[in-house]
Amino acid sequence: MRTLVVAALLLPAAAAAQRGVGIELGLRLAYAPSLGNAAGLVPMSEAVDVQVPIQLDAAWATETFGAGTYVSWAPGQAGAQGCTDGASCSAQVTRAGVQAIWKVREASLGGAMPWLGGGLGWEWASHRRERLGAATTTRWNGPELSLQGGAAWRAGERFTVGPYLLVGVGWYERVTIETAESSGSGSLGDRAVHGWIHVGVRGTAAFFF
């Protein structure tokens, strides 16, 4: 009998604990100006001055911690210096990798839950210049490290929304140049450090078991 009583007391607790583990999906929209150099003495602002990233997050999460993947695509604004004399320019940035987020529940401020995170991934950026029907596309790719943080307000049982800030730092390892006649790629010898500052809004939907 005692065993049955103990089991009856423990089963609800175990079920509640299991409901605290599940999948958390996130959607972000931000504005991200560039810093540093794309390569050597080439400012990042001349390759991609600004990007507007749309990011999707997917994580295996508890109420206080989550670890998973992210993928981001962003239309960008190309630097103006190489886009004079009637040339048309465009740019874009894609990012993907893994990240972890810690939710500071004990520090809830005004109903908002602060959170901190870090990520490791890869970045692909491209710059396209077209003039008089002739186009040249330059592509770079390389690793990225990021630190991030924000606050989240609950919007129902499953949803949160709030502002976030992400600082990404990386360097490009390879470059590809494409024209209508030819293309070539290789390792980037004159590497430099560049960065992005993302300021935006993040929403999440949690599905705990």
Side-chain angles (χ1 to χ4, degrees), residues 43-114:
M44 192 65 209
S45 60
E46 291 304 323
V48 185
D49 188 22
V50 173
Q51 60 165 308
V52 182
I54 303 168
Q55 179 171 318
L56 298 176
D57 302 332
W60 185 253
T62 69
E63 292 288 346
T64 57
F65 176 78
T69 62
Y70 68 89
V71 60
S72 168
W73 176 81
Q77 177 180 317
Q81 182 173 331
C83 300
T84 56
D85 60 21
S88 173
C89 293
S90 61
Q92 63 180 25
V93 179
T94 302
R95 302 164 46 250
V98 295
Q99 63 182 359
I101 289 177
W102 294 264
K103 304 170 189 177
V104 191
R105 294 180 63 85
E106 294 79 5
S108 180
L109 303 173
M113 181 189 303

Side-chain angles (χ1 to χ4, degrees), residues 16 49-50 74-76 93 96 108-109 116 126-127 135 141 149 154 162 167 190:
D49 188 22
V50 173
V93 179
S108 180
L109 303 173
L116 299 171
S126 68
H127 176 285
N141 70 83
R154 289 204 173 276
V167 177
D190 198 6

Side-chain angles (χ1 to χ4, degrees), residues 155-208:
E157 182 180 354
R158 297 183 182 276
F159 304 100
T160 69
V161 64
Y164 82 96
L165 174 69
L166 181 149
V167 177
V169 177
W171 59 93
Y172 296 129
E173 295 191 343
R174 295 190 63 83
V175 61
T176 300
I177 299 177
E178 300 175 353
T179 67
E181 293 77 22
S182 64
S183 66
S185 64
S187 178
L188 190 60
D190 198 6
R191 297 176 184 174
V193 176
H194 69 274
W196 302 98
I197 299 178
H198 298 228
V199 180
V201 177
R202 177 177 183 258
T204 69
F207 303 90
F208 292 120

